[in-house]
């Protein structure tokens, strides 16, 4: 597979065509694209696409410029994402050869060994930046520290960061990613309910400064957002309540079916932490797992 080879997977299209002896028609197409769609041959990023138009008066005294940037975000509900047989993270980072991850220190304490084992299994270098992700840490000074660390590590503009944690971590690191190289991609692996169904998918980033909340910020969504309910198993009950309350808010505003699912299963959703603590559950396990998936999926839609 080309994606398993770091050299081939990062090789420019034109160079690949020339060095692999492809048929002449491919070379001709590359030459055409070089003139009419240079981004197809020399992309600054594979995760987004820029376009625009320039209109001017005949004497060029007034010039109007329209520009657009299109980014596709994929949100997935996954299972056991840290199991080495799960391909999601491997598919992103194996072609690059390394993964720079910013991880909540509480998550590191619980899942750090499993995260390291996953990347070791696939021979992918893992570089961890472990940080606190409480509300008080959402400050411009912490964002600046992250930017310095990314530069020190030589993170490239096409190298997606891996953000593992809650909504606060997302807001700060996503903001840093939007500034670093002006637009560095990132993958969000949410470990809280609020992040999984709301903050971790959001294009809104931000951090506090000078005593003002979200004084600094940008719009920079993840290229991939992964929701794995297994992380909810280790959440405190208060964090679960916060997450369920966020889903209730969405349901009240927009989705009657989602509201009914919550109303019918309220107590057991909380006691089982959205189907991740099932030891004392006496009902149909498979059916309840489907209900939990549907609740999370419908919340993602909102």
């Amino acid at each position: 597979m080309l994606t398993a080879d770091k050299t081939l997977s990062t090789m420019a299209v034109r160079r690949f065509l020339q060095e692999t002896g492809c048929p002449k028609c491919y070379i001709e197409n590359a030459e055409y694209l070089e003139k009419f769609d240079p981004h197809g041959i020399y992309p600054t990023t594979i995760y987004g696409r820029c376009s625009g138009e320039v209109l001017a008066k005949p004497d060029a005294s007034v010039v109007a410029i329209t520009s657009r940037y299109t980014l596709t975000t994929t949100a997935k509900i996954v299972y056991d994402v840290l199991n080495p047989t799960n391909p999601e993270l491997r598919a992103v980072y194996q072609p690059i050869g390394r993964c720079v991850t910013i991880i909540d220190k509480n998550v590191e304490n619980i899942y750090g060994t499993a995260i390291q084992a996953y990347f070791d299994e696939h021979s992918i270098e893992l570089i961890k930046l472990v940080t606190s992700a409480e509300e008080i840490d959402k400050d411009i000074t912490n964002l600046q520290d992250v930017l310095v660390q990314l530069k020190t590590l030589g993170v490239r503009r096409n190298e997606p960061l891996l953000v593992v944690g809650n909504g606060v971590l997302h807001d700060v690191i996503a903001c840093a990613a939007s500034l670093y190289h002006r637009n560095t991609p990132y993958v969000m692996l949410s470990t809280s309910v609020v992040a999984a169904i709301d903050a971790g998918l959001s294009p809104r980033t931000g951090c506090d400064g000078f005593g003002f909340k979200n004084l600094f910020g940008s719009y920079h969504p993840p290229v991939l957002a992964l929701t794995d309910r297994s992380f909810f198993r280790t959440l405190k009950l208060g964090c679960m309540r916060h997450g369920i309350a966020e889903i209730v808010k969405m349901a009240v505003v927009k989705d009657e079916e989602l509201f009914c699912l919550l109303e019918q299963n309220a107590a057991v959703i909380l006691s089982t932490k959205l189907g991740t603590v099932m030891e004392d559950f006496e009902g149909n396990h498979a059916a309840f797992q489907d209900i939990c998936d549907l609740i999370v999926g419908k919340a993602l839609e909102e």
Side-chain angles (χ1 to χ4, degrees):
M1 292 178 61
L2 294 181
T3 55
D5 186 306
K6 289 188 289 184
T7 302
L8 289 179
S9 64
T10 57
M11 185 184 294
V13 174
R14 185 181 181 87
R15 180 181 158 206
F16 171 76
L17 294 174
Q18 291 172 337
E19 294 187 5
T20 54
C22 288
K24 184 180 178 181
C25 62
Y26 290 104
I27 302 296
E28 292 174 347
N29 186 55
E31 292 173 350
Y32 171 84
L33 288 173
E34 186 173 32
K35 181 177 181 180
F36 293 100
D37 187 11
H39 189 274
I41 303 298
Y42 306 109
T44 55
T45 175
I46 63 173
Y47 298 103
R49 185 174 182 84
C50 299
S51 61
E53 296 84 28
V54 177
L55 300 175
K57 284 187 172 183
D59 63 356
S61 60
V62 178
V63 179
I65 302 170
T66 301
S67 60
R68 292 179 294 276
Y69 179 72
T70 302
L71 175 70
T72 300
T73 298
T74 302
K76 292 184 178 181
I77 297 176
V78 296
Y79 303 94
D80 204 11
V81 71
L82 298 180
N83 187 319
T85 62
N86 190 300
E88 296 294 344
L89 295 175
R90 182 193 68 209
V92 176
Y93 294 103
Q94 195 169 60
I96 301 169
R98 76 166 181 174
C99 172
V100 176
T101 180
I102 300 91
I103 182 169
D104 182 335
K105 68 177 183 180
N106 295 321
V107 177
E108 168 67 13
N109 290 338
I110 300 172
Y111 298 103
T113 301
I115 294 172
Q116 186 68 57
Y118 179 94
F119 286 94
D120 287 347
E121 176 68 21
H122 298 294
S123 301
I124 302 170
E125 179 187 7
L126 180 65
I127 300 173
K128 291 182 182 178
L129 303 178
V130 181
T131 184
S132 178
E134 305 296 336
E135 195 66 36
I136 196 173
D137 301 308
K138 192 176 172 180
D139 187 80
I140 185 64
T141 56
N142 291 326
L143 183 148
Q144 291 172 320
D145 290 341
V146 171
L147 292 174
V148 171
Q149 290 175 307
L150 297 181
K151 176 58 178 174
T152 301
L153 291 170
V155 174
R156 302 184 299 275
R157 67 187 305 164
N158 276 336
E159 184 177 356
L161 304 172
L162 175 61
V163 184
V164 186
N166 60 15
V168 169
L169 189 68
H170 164 269
D171 287 356
V172 175
I173 304 306
C175 191
S178 72
L179 295 173
Y180 188 73
H181 287 309
R182 292 181 295 183
N183 190 347
T184 297
Y186 67 98
V187 173
M188 183 68 199
L189 178 55
S190 298
T191 58
S192 72
V193 180
V194 173
I197 55 91
D198 184 25
L201 301 165
S202 175
R204 297 185 301 275
T205 80
C207 63
D208 307 336
F210 302 99
F212 292 90
K213 185 174 178 61
N214 291 328
L215 179 63
F216 307 102
S218 61
Y219 288 89
H220 189 51
V223 294
L224 175 63
L226 300 175
T227 293
D228 183 347
R229 284 192 291 113
S230 65
F231 287 109
F232 302 163
R233 182 180 181 88
T234 54
L235 291 177
K236 295 179 180 179
L237 201 57
C239 293
M240 286 300 305
R241 288 195 180 99
H242 294 161
I244 299 302
E246 189 69 23
I247 300 176
V248 170
K249 181 180 72 175
M250 296 176 178
V252 168
V253 172
K254 196 173 180 181
D255 195 323
E256 181 180 0
E257 182 184 355
L258 178 57
F259 184 86
C260 290
L261 284 171
L262 293 169
E263 188 175 37
Q264 294 163 7
N265 300 278
V268 70
I269 286 173
L270 191 58
S271 65
T272 64
K273 296 185 177 180
L274 266 171
T276 60
V277 181
M278 299 291 288
E279 288 80 2
D280 297 326
F281 183 78
E282 297 179 353
N284 185 316
H285 282 221
F288 183 63
Q289 292 296 331
D290 289 341
I291 290 173
C292 291
D293 280 341
L294 184 58
I295 288 172
V296 172
K298 290 184 74 63
L300 286 172
E301 288 180 353
E302 306 304 329

